[in-house]
Amino acid sequence: MRPIRAASLGTATALVALLACAPVVSAAVDTDPAPKKDRDRVIVLTGRLAEQSRFPVNPGGAPAQGDRTVFRSVLFDQDGKEVGETGGTCTTTRVANGGAEECVVTYVLPGGQLTVQGMVFGHLVPGPPPSFDNAITGGTGKFDRARGSVHADTIATGTRRFTIDLQH
């Protein structure tokens, strides 16, 4: 097993709650009982990190380009009911100026999946993980051909709020 560097601790939490594990926080979900596939909508969920593994390029050393984190988070609706999960990877692309990483995440939700990709900046800066916006690159089922973005905010240690702005 490889040692975990303290500087990498923000990586997975930067994605979820992908992001690691605190009490469930309330989240709001689109309440339209029959959302139409041809219109925009916003879904707000809370995520808690459930698992993460780090794969540093320099075990026990300084953060380096190519460090990877693999994670899984559990997603909850406004009533605290588990409604899905996320899974993904982040790869460090820059260690200077607070660091940057490129992340690819899949959101598994009732009725389908959403794929999300983008950069997260500042993951090596001490303190709470930074907020970020990533692009929705596609989906399956009721999210087929989805586009839009996901905004993530840290709301507690290891807990993130995800605002999913779907554009069909």
Side-chain angles (χ1 to χ4, degrees):
M1 180 173 211
R2 295 179 175 183
I4 296 174
R5 286 190 319 275
S8 295
L9 292 179
T11 300
T13 52
L15 276 178
V16 213
L18 289 185
L19 312 208
C21 283
V24 177
V25 178
S26 294
V29 177
D30 184 6
T31 57
D32 186 344
K36 295 183 176 113
K37 205 172 179 182
D38 62 347
R39 68 171 178 82
D40 297 352
R41 65 184 171 133
V42 174
I43 301 170
V44 180
L45 300 170
T46 298
R48 271 192 321 181
L49 185 66
E51 301 176 72
Q52 78 177 12
S53 297
R54 294 183 183 89
F55 301 94
V57 170
N58 302 315
Q65 185 180 43
D67 287 352
R68 289 186 62 214
T69 299
V70 179
F71 54 85
R72 180 181 77 83
S73 295
V74 180
L75 297 171
F76 299 89
D77 69 11
Q78 64 185 2
D79 298 321
K81 177 183 172 199
E82 184 176 331
V83 295
E85 66 179 288
T86 65
T89 62
C90 291
T91 303
T92 298
T93 59
R94 180 184 77 213
V95 294
N97 301 318
E101 58 187 354
E102 202 279 334
C103 300
V104 177
V105 182
T106 301
Y107 289 70
V108 180
L109 300 167
Q113 299 179 20
L114 287 170
T115 55
V116 176
Q117 182 173 355
M119 297 295 292
V120 176
F121 299 98
H123 73 287
L124 297 176
V125 174
S131 297
F132 60 89
D133 294 289
N134 285 169
I136 296 172
T137 56
T140 65
K142 73 179 185 179
F143 305 110
D144 183 38
R145 294 185 219 132
R147 292 291 184 259
S149 63
V150 174
H151 178 79
D153 289 307
T154 299
I155 55 176
T157 302
T159 303
R160 286 209 167 249
R161 178 178 40 250
F162 297 102
T163 303
I164 302 168
D165 184 4
L166 287 169
Q167 301 167 6
H168 287 279

